[in-house]
Amino acid sequence: MAKHTHSEVTSNRNTEVFSPENFKLIQEIMYETKLAAGTHLYWEGDPADKFYYIKQGSVQITKTNDEGKQFILYMHQTGDLFGQLDGLHGSAHTMNAQITEDSVICSIQSKDLEVLMWQHGALAVEFMKWMGMMHRMTQAKLRDLMMFGKPGALCSMLIRLSNTYGSKRGDEILITKKLTNSELADMIGATRESVNRMLGDLKKDGIIDQESSHIVIKDLEGLRTICQCENCPANICRI
């Protein structure tokens, strides 16, 4: 893999945490590689000795239980920085990372990042803020899944999808990413049949609609009421 540097402006969560100057320092220790859809970036049990930046493409983070059921925990996209937060301490991955479309992934060796943070205190502070943001995102997802049942978890997931893939259309929000009901079920630990039923109820109540395999949110406040939304910032309330 060739070492890669570039000066393009970062997007998504990174611009809210890292200054352009400090993110450029991280870019200078990135190594770029191209990966095809369907391949794995890492498997559960592999050494967690890197962080990753998606220059182009998307990565799905999953966990499989003892019965073989897969749960989709995160869906990272172009501009996202991600990695196991204890990766600076020689741990092993607890999840799997699958490439979901042909992607360009930049890896960052944890040992190189640690040296960089010793050299640049401001970068270390911003990295701690990024870690805090990722922890808060995980806590918010656990709240959604545990506090208000499957209907609340589904409504929260639809809100997250609207913040990540939503396109405003008047008073409605079109979720541009196509997701099957089975994929939605994997995101909230439910069955496809229960998701079918819950989506049907939301459609009957005029809260959502469906157009050519896309979900359209017609009543965002209705979703927020069901999941007792705490109005987290958009950079937290994401897939």
Side-chain angles (χ1 to χ4, degrees), residues 127-139:
F127 190 79
M128 289 174 62
K129 290 180 179 178
W130 174 79
M131 291 179 67
M133 183 176 67
M134 298 303 290
H135 274 303
R136 187 176 175 191
M137 181 183 297
T138 300
Q139 290 171 346

Side-chain angles (χ1 to χ4, degrees), residues 17-211:
V17 178
F18 296 102
S19 67
E21 295 79 13
N22 283 329
F23 198 78
K24 185 176 180 181
L25 292 173
I26 300 176
Q27 289 174 308
E28 290 173 352
I29 60 170
M30 290 180 181
Y31 292 82
E32 179 183 304
T33 188
K34 295 180 179 180
L35 294 169
T39 60
H40 276 74
L41 187 59
Y42 54 78
W43 294 91
E44 182 176 351
D46 287 348
D49 56 359
K50 299 180 185 69
F51 291 87
Y52 300 94
Y53 173 70
I54 306 177
K55 183 181 177 185
Q56 179 183 326
S58 58
V59 178
Q60 187 168 274
I61 307 300
T62 65
K63 179 79 173 179
T64 304
N65 66 13
D66 292 340
E67 287 74 41
K69 178 174 176 55
Q70 177 177 274
F71 296 86
I72 300 173
L73 303 177
Y74 298 94
M75 296 175 69
H76 296 299
Q77 58 182 321
T78 298
D80 281 352
L81 176 71
F82 67 98
Q84 191 155 307
L85 298 185
D86 60 351
L88 296 175
H89 304 288
S91 61
H93 282 293
T94 58
M95 305 173 193
N96 306 306
Q98 183 177 11
I99 308 297
T100 51
E101 61 181 280
D102 292 348
S103 299
V104 180
I105 307 295
C106 300
S107 61
I108 306 156
Q109 294 285 344
S110 297
K111 59 182 180 181
D112 294 340
L113 181 60
E114 191 168 1
V115 169
L116 201 60
M117 288 192 292
W118 275 105
Q119 294 172 339
H120 302 274
L123 172 61
V125 171
E126 290 178 357
F127 190 79
M128 289 174 62
K129 290 180 179 178
W130 174 79
M131 291 179 67
M133 183 176 67
M134 298 303 290
H135 274 303
R136 187 176 175 191
M137 181 183 297
T138 300
Q139 290 171 346
K141 286 190 174 185
L142 288 174
R143 168 200 174 274
D144 296 343
L145 292 172
M146 297 176 65
M147 297 295 291
F148 302 106
K150 299 306 181 188
L154 177 62
C155 290
S156 174
M157 190 61 62
L158 292 175
I159 295 171
R160 292 178 185 278
L161 285 167
S162 74
N163 289 334
T164 309
Y165 300 107
S167 176
K168 289 284 288 183
R169 198 173 65 176
D171 295 332
E172 302 176 343
I173 302 173
L174 172 69
I175 297 175
T176 58
K177 185 173 181 64
K178 287 186 178 181
L179 291 167
T180 67
N181 289 0
S182 293
E183 288 174 317
L184 290 172
D186 288 345
M187 291 180 186
I188 63 171
T191 64
R192 180 178 58 82
E193 291 76 15
S194 65
V195 167
N196 291 347
R197 184 180 65 254
M198 289 186 288
L199 289 175
D201 290 341
L202 292 172
K203 187 173 180 180
K204 183 175 63 177
D205 292 339
I207 295 175
I208 69 165
D209 202 351
Q210 291 178 294
E211 297 178 6

